[in-house]
Amino acid sequence: MVTVRFASDHSIRVAFGEGISPDCHREVRRFWALLSAENIGGVLSLHPAYNSLLVSFDPRVTRGPELLETLQALVRLPDRFPLPESRLVEIPVCYGNPMGPDLEQVAELAGLTAEKVVALHSGAEYLVYFLGFSPGFPYLGGMPEEISAPRLAAPRRQVPAGSVAIGGKQTGIYPVSSPGGWQLIGRTPRTLFFPGQRPPTLLQMGDRVRFVPISPGDYERLKSREEAIG
Amino acid sequence: MARLRVVRPGLQTTVQDLGRYGFAHFGISASGAADPVSFRLGNRLAGNPEGSPALEMTLVGGEFEFEEPAVVAAAGADFAATMDRSPFPPWTSVQVEKGQTLCFSACRRGARGYLCIRGGLRIPPVLGSASTHLFSAMGGYQGRALKKGDLLEYAPVRTGAPPQPARPPESMIFGGNPVRLRVTAGPQLDFFPPEARALFSASLYQVSEEFSRMGLRLGGPAVTARERSEMVTEGVSLGAVQIAGNGRPILLFVEHQTTGGYPKIANVISADLHRIGQLRPGDQVRFEFATLEDAWSLLQEQEALLRSLGQEDA
């Protein structure tokens, strides 16, 4: 059951379900692609998430009730709109100390060896549900539950850019250095956020992601190559 | 090209415009001027299009030296500015001569002031906007707040002052004392029982020291959601009032995280969003529920007033 309701006088929330599932997310993605192509006047931005899409608009330019009607009509359209292509992106990760200072703790909590945590984390394929929190931060689905780990009691003031982390049942990558409360298990040399470029992020909603373990030597080599490309 | 030299940066001075829209799906919030009403009027006073890049100062202003003549205007909160030690009037355009220094001190009321220069600051746009996004170090002047010695480019202008819009009423900028913020129902209003909603709209909240362009934490009575109210992370709107785990409201502001997992009890209406930019720690806030129809007509009235301010003296 799809609901289309005002979230404020300048935004409309379109919800496709309640839980988190790839099926529901496909609807979000399809509708996001449709709205991106429609390019409706007065719409400022589209924010997809697990099961909803937030449409922000300028009430100086477009009347709220009219936009609501337009969205209600578009949502009823049969699923003719093609789903955008889904890419597979490999993210190299140097797991463990010093770049993943919490790996041992995550392993201990899970009753596993660090090697097993790495094997499980890098053995799964993840879906980028959406980017949120900070520019380019991917909300990934598909992490094996055995390696869930609670958020830190006190968030770190500064998590280095590229840190790969586990928070509860989720895993993610910090694109920019920021405060963060997830447990850090490794770091990628890849840049996830390019402020001046279009698109400005490495990952996009709907991408599939695999983590590939690399050595500290590989990390340094890839990092300097990444910096040379700039 | 002339340059503006930062003699003293102030507490947090950034380059802003009216925001960077269309990138929420990359996790990028719009940023832009915290008080867009003052910002737009300031630019008009300087003879600019409303969205021209200008400086936003926070609580304590900066000191700036002009290498070449300029026409400038100060708007927003009153930072008791002086030009070469003589009082510098806000809300009007002023001719500045080569080598003069404009000095802003601290504001006593409100939080943000704008320095607009005729022709606008020359800032290369990032994703179509000059606004600084501090959290991700993007846009503006090197993605950060200004520092002593920074040099910002502007086009030197010597010719006369543009038509002067009248000064806006103080109540329009600051919203009274306590500051009245009108809100519409948030997407999770029904997570809160009637007594919690009543407490929310009857109470005075106080702006805490945790106040930034990302968001403002408020102190006051705790508002509690029903038990087992769980939600999954979703996109959030500018001006959303999130209720955190401790029951206290957080106002999501121009550099907000683009998604959140806390329930949103309410959302500040468009006509009052600029008042959030003038809140300072210690200010008292009262939330008042309004209908969507009221919210839209209040916005139209405000826009009509802004237009009329421009015409009176033209």
Side-chain angles (χ1 to χ4, degrees), chain B residues 25-106:
Chain B
H25 57 291
F26 294 114
I28 300 171
S29 49
S31 191
D35 170 2
V37 167
S38 296
F39 181 91
R40 289 162 63 191
L41 286 170
N43 263 323
R44 275 161 53 183
L45 288 162
N48 290 337
E50 290 187 340
S52 298
L55 292 184
E56 174 177 288
M57 295 173 283
T58 313
L59 298 178
V60 180
E63 192 174 335
F64 310 99
E65 187 189 330
F66 293 81
E67 276 192 354
E68 296 294 335
V71 173
V72 307
D78 188 350
F79 283 73
T82 54
M83 173 85 82
D84 291 346
R85 302 215 180 108
S86 311
F88 177 90
W91 298 109
T92 184
S93 82
V94 179
Q95 172 79 47
V96 178
E97 298 305 328
K98 177 179 174 135
Q100 281 195 305
T101 299
L102 181 51
C103 177
F104 293 87
S105 79

Side-chain angles (χ1 to χ4, degrees), chain A residues 1-5 12-19 24 27-28 31 49-55 75, chain B residues 187-188 232 234:
Chain A
M1 180 58 191
V2 185
T3 58
V4 185
R5 293 202 184 116
I12 294 172
R13 176 177 178 270
V14 184
F16 294 86
E18 299 223 313
C24 187
E27 296 306 304
V28 174
F31 195 59
Y50 285 116
N51 57 27
S52 65
L53 180 78
L54 188 75
V55 180
V75 132
Chain B
Q188 286 82 33
V232 300
E234 64 178 26

Side-chain angles (χ1 to χ4, degrees), chain A residues 92 94 99 188-190 213-229:
Chain A
C94 182
M99 297 182 188
T188 179
R190 297 289 306 264
I214 58 169
S215 67
D218 288 340
Y219 178 93
E220 294 306 333
R221 205 163 42 248
L222 288 167
K223 185 79 187 163
S224 49
R225 194 196 296 167
E226 194 91 350
E227 276 160 8
I229 299 165

Side-chain angles (χ1 to χ4, degrees), chain A residues 9-11 13 44 60 136, chain B residues 26 234 237-238 270 296 303:
Chain A
D9 69 355
H10 55 277
S11 56
R13 176 177 178 270
L44 294 175
R60 294 169 188 82
Chain B
F26 294 114
E234 64 178 26
S237 306
L238 175 63
S270 296
W296 291 317
E303 289 296 314

Side-chain angles (χ1 to χ4, degrees), chain A residues 9-150:
Chain A
D9 69 355
H10 55 277
S11 56
I12 294 172
R13 176 177 178 270
V14 184
F16 294 86
E18 299 223 313
I20 299 173
S21 74
D23 284 346
C24 187
H25 184 254
R26 262 192 292 278
E27 296 306 304
V28 174
R29 242 179 108 212
R30 201 189 295 276
F31 195 59
W32 174 80
L34 189 154
L35 289 188
S36 302
E38 285 284 319
N39 210 0
I40 303 167
V43 168
L44 294 175
S45 65
L46 304 172
H47 203 305
Y50 285 116
N51 57 27
S52 65
L53 180 78
L54 188 75
V55 180
S56 297
F57 65 95
D58 185 347
R60 294 169 188 82
V61 176
T62 190
R63 286 180 186 277
E66 278 173 29
L67 181 60
L68 190 81
E69 269 182 38
T70 305
L71 294 179
Q72 279 167 338
L74 288 173
V75 132
R76 275 189 230 107
L77 283 184
D79 302 336
R80 279 174 313 186
F81 209 82
L83 213 52
E85 198 186 331
S86 174
R87 309 174 304 169
L88 178 65
V89 183
E90 292 197 335
I91 304 281
V93 182
C94 182
Y95 286 99
N97 274 320
M99 297 182 188
D102 303 325
L103 177 64
E104 292 294 338
Q105 185 169 307
V106 170
E108 208 168 297
L109 286 166
L112 300 167
T113 62
E115 290 73 25
K116 183 68 181 166
V117 171
V118 171
L120 285 166
H121 191 262
S122 60
E125 188 175 291
Y126 300 86
L127 169 65
V128 178
Y129 274 96
F130 59 95
L131 306 176
F133 172 63
S134 71
F137 186 103
Y139 279 73
L140 299 171
M143 188 178 78
E145 288 217 12
E146 303 100 287
I147 57 174
S148 301

